[in-house]
Amino acid sequence: MDYKAAFRSAVEQIRTEGRYRVFADLKRQRGAFPRAIWTNAEGAESEIVVWCSNDYLGQGQNPVVLDAMHEAIDAHGSGSGGTRNISGTNHHHVQLEAELADLHGKEAALLFTSGYVSNEASLTALQKILPGLIVFSDAQNHASMIAGIRNGGCERHIFRHNDLEHLEQLLAAAPVDAPKLVAFESVYSMDGDIADIGATAALAKKYGAMTYLDEVHAVGMYGPRGGGVAERDGLMDQIDIIEGTLGKAFGVMGGYITGDAEVVDAIRLVASGFIFTTSLPPALTAGALASVRYLKQHPEVREIHQERAAALKAMFKAAGLPVMDNDSHIVPVLVGDPRHTKLISDMLLAEHGIYVQPINYPTVPRGTERLRFTPTPFHTDEMMRKLVAAMEQLWAHCNVARMGGHAA
């Protein structure tokens, strides 16, 4: 077999569909967020404004976080030294897990190397711990949740996105005495819509199911202390396992779960993605700890963030650009074609110094390709005006449909 030809063919197929991904070569600049330096294909550098960072609150630039990381390196060195079980548990791990458990009103927390790993490892482990578990998964759940559910090998059912009537039909049809788990997200990152956490938890309880809530795109940003949508809505005690990340609003890296001590302990002892990997280094855990503590005490950061997201949505709507309505901080603008999406993204970057990554299949369904903007507290009105003006120009240039379905 010609292996190289097979790989070449796979890449060319993706190119033909307009889905070939190109990474933007960026240098983040301390103190200048959301500005960065972009190096193009020819090696030339220019300053740009980043509009698609998951560093939602700019915590990756917060001096409190950076100072904690520097101090940890000076005090403890670089790596953790091993897995959590074999010399790799440092005191910052212990402190951070306690801080995260407190954030979500739970007895315990467990750190992983990323949000992807925390979902994949935990959802797989739950199926080992609970033989015969039936998993009910929202159709729009993240790839990491899907991977964990599939890898566990138990029976699974997919309910239509945020469709509680469909979920109840599936739950009602399941054996009464079988262990069950409802897995869903709070904020869905591509459309920006928010689940009805209270009603979902009530349904799960009615049919004897546990609940697993991914708050990755909400931790740090919702609730009085940043505990997520479940905290905002007073529902944390209704959820069995809350999962989150340290790599978005907290501005560092890592993932975690929180829950009852016995649940977390069982996952700790079973989850391969936790057991067989080197733990997070001291600098990252110290930075995350400082960030979580900071955001617990600074709700004004969340308030400014929400205002900035609302302002950008309003400006897009006023310009007739097809921003997708939602109640979160995510600002998706529908394009509907992979080639147009990439073309607009490329022109924004090269001609206007504006970076937003095209979002194409398989991240979103075909025909719903989009540009996904994530304004932060540091995006100014002037930055927004320049963005909207550039978008209006390119929408006309590329003849893409505006709000109401008519092309420019």
Side-chain angles (χ1 to χ4, degrees), residues 44 118 120 196 230 238 260 269 343 364 394 405:
S118 58
E120 192 278 331
D196 187 338
Q238 301 299 305
D260 289 347
L269 296 171
L343 178 61
V364 295
L394 293 178

Side-chain angles (χ1 to χ4, degrees), residues 374-390:
T374 53
T376 73
F378 300 93
H379 283 90
T380 65
D381 287 342
E382 180 60 23
M383 289 176 180
M384 291 186 183
R385 284 191 289 269
K386 288 181 178 179
L387 168 62
V388 173

Side-chain angles (χ1 to χ4, degrees), residues 48-67:
I48 62 166
V49 176
V50 178
W51 279 98
C52 54
S53 174
N54 282 339
D55 188 0
Y56 291 131
L57 303 178
Q59 284 291 97
Q61 304 287 314
N62 189 331
V64 172
V65 176
L66 301 185
D67 288 348

Side-chain angles (χ1 to χ4, degrees), residues 123 134-150 155-163 166-167 170-171 181-185 188 212:
L123 286 165
I134 303 174
V135 182
F136 301 84
S137 175
D138 188 284
Q140 294 298 322
N141 275 344
H142 190 263
S144 58
M145 300 177 74
I146 295 170
I149 292 167
R150 286 177 175 170
E155 182 180 342
R156 60 183 184 271
H157 298 278
I158 313 303
F159 62 93
R160 290 185 294 271
H161 179 49
N162 281 344
D163 187 335
H166 188 214
L167 173 60
L170 296 172
L171 285 166
L181 177 75
V182 177
F184 65 113
E185 300 182 37
Y188 288 85
Y212 183 104

Side-chain angles (χ1 to χ4, degrees), residues 41 55 86-88 92 112 127 150 153 159 162 169 256 312 356:
D55 188 0
I86 306 175
S87 82
H92 287 121
F112 294 81
Q127 294 172 79
R150 286 177 175 170
F159 62 93
N162 281 344
Q169 290 171 2
Y256 63 89
L312 183 60
V356 57

